[in-house]
Amino acid sequence: MAADLVLDTAIRDWVLIPLSVVMVLIGVLRYFVSKLMRSNQVPDAKIVKEGQLVIRARNLRASANFIPPKSFRARRFYFSNEENGLLFVPKGQAQNPQAQMFSDPNMAMDMMKKNLSMIIPQTLTFAWVNFFFSGFVAAKIPFPLTQRFRSMLQNGIDLSTVDVSYVSSRSWYFLNLFGLRGLFSLILGEENAMDDTQRMMQMSGFGFDPSKSLGAEKDSLDIIQHDWALPKFEHRAEAVLKKLVR
Amino acid sequence: MAGHNESTASGKKSTEATNDVSTLNAESLQSNMKIIYYSRTFMSIIGGVIAGILGFTGLSGFILYFLIMAITSVGLIAKAGFQVHSYFDSWNQVILDGFLGGLLSFVLFWTFAYDIVHIF
């Protein structure tokens, strides 16, 4: 363990606290800017219809055991028969979501806006931190760490003699970037976190494929084992009533 | 302690353990999970500030984190009226969910408060 460094109080007042406050404020600003830029596009009637259909099928699947076998079979047939079942998608008709995306410029525009609203503030803040605060030892983590964390925590100061638990200002920026997510979800509501995951989904899968989800729902509806719960409920009611009488 | 956070934990048909038919509403369950997540995040931030101000270092800080998470779990269970199965699928969900997610917030606020109070 190296000797303790003496850090100037001015570093606290002019580096640590401003950096953290700015990170929080930028997060809030980013949230509101992305909210402003989000165009409320008119949802496509077909997609909405398919989404509602999937929800209906899911409801049927979740509460299948509360209806008699005959009713269940009728409903399942309605959803998944091979001729005109609602969940049945003919082979050729399933349209490629990628092609659909390129045909609809709004969608690409929207995605670009979202990405920009995330990337631009981050680049700007990083540049700002680099410009003003590079090379400070800004903080000290209150627990010991091994040498492997040096590149992570002391990004920007090239001193191998400093104890690893000291954090450079640039690394403090990164710590804030990741650690403040919880705080944002508290102060901005769930929308913020949800937005991030949605963005991830869009980046990885280019949106979801409605016909695929229809097919998956159909499959899971097909394999479900129906087991009517009502006869068992009579036993249960009997037990409860007996307990009450006694 | 975390009581005011989960005041909306509601709307659940109770189910007996004797019966394997699940009568939990999926949306309400999700909302309950969200409330757990919020309480845990809130408590980990508060706990981080407490640990920093009291000047815990090393292992004792993490022990405080575990302690705070345990208190949160007890608070959540007490809020559920000690009948976890009417609100959640299993005990694990109440006790373990969001456990590691709060750690990062905890460490950040711990470091922040500790640095402001003790280092400079």
Side-chain angles (χ1 to χ4, degrees), chain A residues 101-147:
Chain A
M101 209 184 106
F102 287 119
S103 68
D104 182 9
N106 257 346
M107 215 159 157
M109 192 69 193
D110 212 46
M111 232 174 74
M112 214 167 79
K113 272 185 196 164
K114 268 182 189 160
N115 283 347
L116 281 184
S117 73
M118 187 160 91
I119 290 167
I120 287 183
Q122 265 181 27
T123 351
L124 283 182
T125 339
F126 186 67
W128 178 74
V129 167
N130 253 345
F131 186 71
F132 280 103
F133 301 134
S134 61
F136 283 108
V137 173
K140 182 177 188 288
I141 285 190
F143 46 89
L145 284 171
T146 51
Q147 289 290 328

Side-chain angles (χ1 to χ4, degrees), chain B:
Chain B
M1 208 161 169
H4 64 282
N5 262 357
E6 61 268 22
S7 53
T8 52
S10 63
K12 210 50 71 61
K13 210 56 216 120
S14 82
T15 174
E16 303 294 319
T18 56
N19 182 331
D20 54 347
V21 178
S22 172
T23 47
L24 294 174
N25 182 352
E27 277 145 38
S28 308
L29 192 69
Q30 217 161 23
S31 128
N32 285 353
M33 298 309 291
K34 213 156 55 196
I35 288 156
I36 287 191
Y37 171 71
Y38 284 150
S39 328
R40 282 216 190 279
T41 314
F42 181 73
M43 286 301 285
S44 58
I45 288 176
I46 295 294
V49 173
I50 290 172
I53 289 173
L54 293 183
F56 287 133
T57 51
L59 201 59
S60 58
F62 289 104
I63 290 172
L64 184 84
Y65 178 71
F66 287 121
L67 209 67
I68 279 178
M69 286 294 109
I71 291 170
T72 315
S73 301
V74 171
L76 286 167
I77 292 168
K79 183 72 188 175
F82 295 100
Q83 289 178 325
V84 175
H85 284 287
S86 14
Y87 295 95
F88 302 102
D89 279 339
S90 68
W91 284 89
N92 290 352
Q93 279 182 324
V94 188
I95 295 169
L96 295 179
D97 203 75
F99 197 87
L100 289 177
L103 194 60
L104 207 56
S105 307
F106 177 79
V107 167
L108 185 79
F109 279 88
W110 180 18
T111 314
F112 189 60
Y114 176 75
D115 288 352
I116 285 179
V117 177
H118 292 277
I119 287 295
F120 291 100

